[in-house]
Amino acid sequence: MPLNFSSYLDVVRFLAAMVVFLGHASGIHWTAGLLWQLGDYGDTCVVIFFVLSGFVIAYVTDVKERTWQAYLNSRASRLWSVVLPALALTFVIDWFGVRVAPALYLGQPWFAGDHLPLRYLASLLMLQEVWHLKLVPGINAPFWSLSYEAIYYLLFGIIFFSKRPVRWLWVALLLALSGPVIAALFPLWGLGFLAYRFCKKRTLPKAWCWLLAIAGLILLVASPHVRYLAPAQLRIMDEEIVGRYIDALAFLMHLIGVYGLANAFPELPGRLRSMITTVAATTFPLYLLHRPLIQFFSYAGPEDPSGWQRRALVIVGTLLLVFIATPPIERFRLFLKAVLNGLLQRARIRRQHAAMSARSGN
């Protein structure tokens, strides 16, 4: 993958997470509508995450994660290294918040406070949106997309690493258990995989690359307006489908176009690439930690949401804590990866011993 394009992916991931964060922070109770325009792009950014995820997974399974064990280890450690701290943070902030600022919690549509043990268990297992159950934990609504991501990882792993025809039965069963919304949006994730395969095999003329990159970006910017069109409002279980496909196709165009242009520009300096990588590492923690932190700074900070002290605290405070939390989260990921690797190794050794014992018995 061209170094410039890799840095571009990092920038896009971080900017998408920032748009989601700032869109949530713009609420009237948090910053009195500051940057409210970004709120219309939150779902578009999640679609971008899905397509990017398919692209990146296609890349890592092509060059690094060549076995199902390596794939499973990397995906599981990546998800749970952020999910576990995010659940703990959400629980603590909600527990205090309900007691010190009940007006920001009780009876509010953004707080899911019923059946908390079930919600936290479902979120831990990343099953909170199976069959549209809507079991997000407490204040942390962004958890909804984790069910999609985890199930898409699993679906891809079955399809990619299993060579037996029975794998399609497992895929069909998993899609049925996931529900129609998760199943209907799986092709969005698959578009990212197809984009990687296309970029790897073909190089488009520069004029086409410019056209795709610019046209895709324009469509993404126009997304809130496009989604108001009647054909884009088709829903399944009250979830928008066609509008998300339009966003995914727009980002696919942009992605392919930028890939073809990546080598046309001077290579970014190493120090700048390193800085981009460092900032991009905060993307997943920012996505899962920002909502409880917004809530915390809203009830622990100045009361006036229109004041710049409150706005600065909500935005800068959240970003600062996320940046501080990212290195220990990364160390936790490496720890989980080592633990899972040990478990997989022991399981492999036990299977080998069992196979040897069976052959000796024969």
Side-chain angles (χ1 to χ4, degrees):
M1 186 184 298
L3 290 176
N4 280 355
F5 186 72
S6 178
S7 295
Y8 153 80
L9 293 184
D10 283 341
V11 170
V12 170
R13 285 191 304 119
F14 178 73
L15 289 180
M18 278 292 294
V19 169
V20 174
F21 158 52
L22 293 174
H24 286 153
S26 69
I28 194 71
H29 294 278
W30 325 128
T31 62
L34 180 67
L35 300 175
W36 63 268
Q37 299 88 342
L38 296 179
D40 290 337
Y41 291 94
D43 193 69
T44 296
C45 288
V46 175
V47 171
I48 288 173
F49 284 137
F50 287 163
V51 179
L52 270 179
S53 178
F55 190 97
V56 171
I57 293 302
Y59 169 72
V60 297
T61 51
D62 186 33
V63 301
K64 290 189 287 188
E65 297 168 13
R66 298 291 184 85
T67 66
W68 70 264
Q69 293 93 339
Y71 176 80
L72 174 63
N73 194 343
S74 293
R75 297 311 105 210
S77 58
R78 171 68 172 159
L79 288 170
W80 271 310
S81 64
V82 185
V83 165
L84 290 170
L87 287 175
L89 181 70
T90 303
F91 179 82
V92 171
I93 287 177
D94 283 358
W95 191 90
F96 282 103
V98 167
R99 287 155 178 80
V100 302
L104 292 180
Y105 281 90
L106 303 181
Q108 301 293 355
W110 53 77
F111 177 57
D114 61 323
H115 309 297
L116 283 179
L118 177 61
R119 289 181 178 279
Y120 275 83
L121 178 61
S123 299
L124 176 64
L125 300 176
M126 284 164 277
L127 299 174
Q128 61 271 28
E129 286 293 323
V130 166
W131 275 92
H132 209 43
L133 290 174
K134 290 185 174 294
L135 291 174
V136 295
I139 201 70
N140 209 332
F143 253 85
W144 73 267
S145 66
L146 266 291
S147 285
Y148 293 72
E149 197 69 50
I151 289 170
Y152 295 161
Y153 284 161
L154 187 55
L155 283 167
F156 175 80
I158 293 171
I159 295 170
F160 189 80
F161 290 103
S162 176
K163 304 305 178 184
R164 299 177 181 178
V166 73
R167 72 183 187 274
W168 298 111
L169 178 61
W170 286 110
V171 167
L173 179 61
L174 182 55
L175 287 173
L177 293 173
S178 301
V181 181
I182 292 178
L185 296 181
F186 181 46
L188 303 187
W189 195 94
L191 285 176
F193 177 83
L194 295 177
Y196 172 79
R197 290 299 181 93
F198 180 87
C199 291
K200 183 182 177 182
K201 293 179 180 179
R202 296 193 59 183
T203 302
L204 294 176
K206 290 294 184 289
W208 276 103
C209 291
W210 278 110
L211 178 62
L212 288 172
I214 294 172
L217 183 59
I218 291 173
L219 277 173
L220 288 172
V221 172
S223 174
H225 306 287
V226 172
R227 288 193 179 202
Y228 279 117
L229 299 176
Q233 294 183 10
L234 174 66
R235 294 174 177 269
I236 295 177
M237 299 183 77
D238 203 35
E239 288 291 331
E240 192 171 0
I241 301 298
V242 176
R244 287 168 167 172
Y245 270 84
I246 295 172
D247 286 344
L249 290 171
F251 184 62
L252 178 73
M253 293 164 54
H254 182 68
L255 197 67
I256 292 173
V258 173
Y259 187 94
L261 297 170
N263 289 327
F265 296 93
E267 189 173 299
L268 295 176
R271 183 172 296 180
L272 178 58
R273 287 204 315 272
S274 177
M275 183 178 71
I276 290 173
T277 300
T278 300
V279 172
T282 67
T283 298
F284 194 23
L286 176 60
Y287 183 76
L288 280 191
L289 299 180
H290 77 265
R291 188 58 189 88
L293 289 174
I294 289 171
Q295 194 79 4
F296 170 73
F297 287 121
S298 295
Y299 70 68
E303 292 186 6
D304 181 12
S306 64
W308 284 103
Q309 287 181 325
R310 162 73 84 82
R311 290 173 169 179
L313 185 62
V314 167
I315 295 174
V316 178
T318 297
L319 290 175
L320 181 61
L321 286 187
V322 167
F323 272 82
I324 292 172
T326 296
I329 285 176
E330 176 61 16
R331 291 192 292 271
F332 185 43
R333 182 187 71 83
L334 295 176
F335 169 76
L336 288 178
K337 193 171 184 179
V339 171
L340 290 171
N341 185 59
L343 293 174
L344 289 170
Q345 289 287 352
R346 286 195 287 273
R348 182 179 61 82
I349 292 171
R350 283 197 296 269
R351 287 197 303 272
Q352 290 176 343
H353 287 168
M356 291 175 61
S357 298
R359 285 196 296 268
S360 299
N362 291 334

